[in-house]
Amino acid sequence: MRLHTILAAMVAALGLAGCASSPPVSYISPGSAGQYSSVATPGVSPQEDPPKLASLEPFRAFGLGQGHGYARTYRNRSIPELVGLLRSPAEFSRQMRVSCSIWVRQVAEAHPGTPWESCEGAAAALERGGYASVACTDQMLAQNWLAVTDAEGHAFGVWHRRCLPGEQLLVQGDQLLASLLCINPGVPAGAPPAPPPMMPVATGGCPAVDILKINIWGHEALALPGVERTDANEQLANRFDVYNRIAHVSYDNGAQFRQAYAAGQIGRSRQPHMMQLSFIMTSQAHGGAPDILREQIVGVVPVTGLYEWRIPAAVRRVWDAERVVPVNSDVSSPPASGQTGYHELRFFNHLPENPTEGEWARNPVPDCVMNEHFIE
């Protein structure tokens, strides 16, 4: 029987008890810390020592079939839901086996530099953006420990295991902070990878991560010269177009918005907008229809005015485009597309004119930062 079939059966039978006690990729057996099962974990050394974090004390070794997830009920929680729990310590403790202060301290200690000094500090940081909910991958879990606790939340250990069906992870960039299914904190395995070397501009290249800025402007941006006309033409065209250059507020007026902002003429939105970020494959990138052949949702993030989506260049080049959609349709520009019904923007990594870099090649080179523009 395949492993995923086994996991699915266990989930159905045990109410997702597998958050800690599913067949692991490797585990520390009782009384033999540092000794692992013979099942290998890609990317993790069999001699790797468990992390020595003060916040994981008292530390104990959990054997096969032992241990519990942090959540008392295992289901994926959204980032906004997690923010609400952090702002209600009593409710956090009711739903979890540990207090929010312990959970925050463990995440912060495992990821130095994370600005989580308290439950409220963690909630505020999550609201500011830069965090995402992503689908779990076994490779991601192979590169990280997941903390595990006992039934009372009084002792802690760490596991390597495989993803559970439908499991989502809380990430910041390439750092795994926690499972959103179990709420178990993630702890990097071994030494953190060295950052890529700085690349001087003279080489004509960008670092390993590109930045797509998502700007949301106040409604007054429509009053800038020529913007309403561009918007009207875009609504009249009522279709995506990246080839024939129909009117497109984000593309045609974006530089104007940034100049007006610098001059104090307009401001960015002060209201949070929930934006769904995803990668897509579409025939449109190759001269065809704007269909979505495949989509991988990165997450839904609250954006107040500006959000920087940091995209590994290697990931970006795999997908045809980045797609950004206001979940609540609470923007006026771009207009709702007659082809999808959403006020969405797409940023293309592949185009017939440039099949390797797409829109990233349209600005003066090198340019590692690009912009998209919405108007309330």
Side-chain angles (χ1 to χ4, degrees), residues 136-144 160-163 176:
C136 181
T137 67
D138 288 341
Q139 183 62 29
M140 188 176 295
L141 292 191
Q143 295 170 347
N144 292 271
H160 288 302
R161 63 163 171 80
R162 300 189 188 278
C163 297
L176 166 59

Side-chain angles (χ1 to χ4, degrees), residues 253-276:
N253 301 102
Q256 182 182 7
F257 294 154
R258 288 185 286 139
Q259 292 165 1
Y261 178 73
Q265 298 171 350
I266 62 170
R268 289 193 174 94
S269 168
R270 296 186 177 182
Q271 302 299 319
H273 297 261
M274 302 304 296
M275 310 295 277
Q276 178 176 290

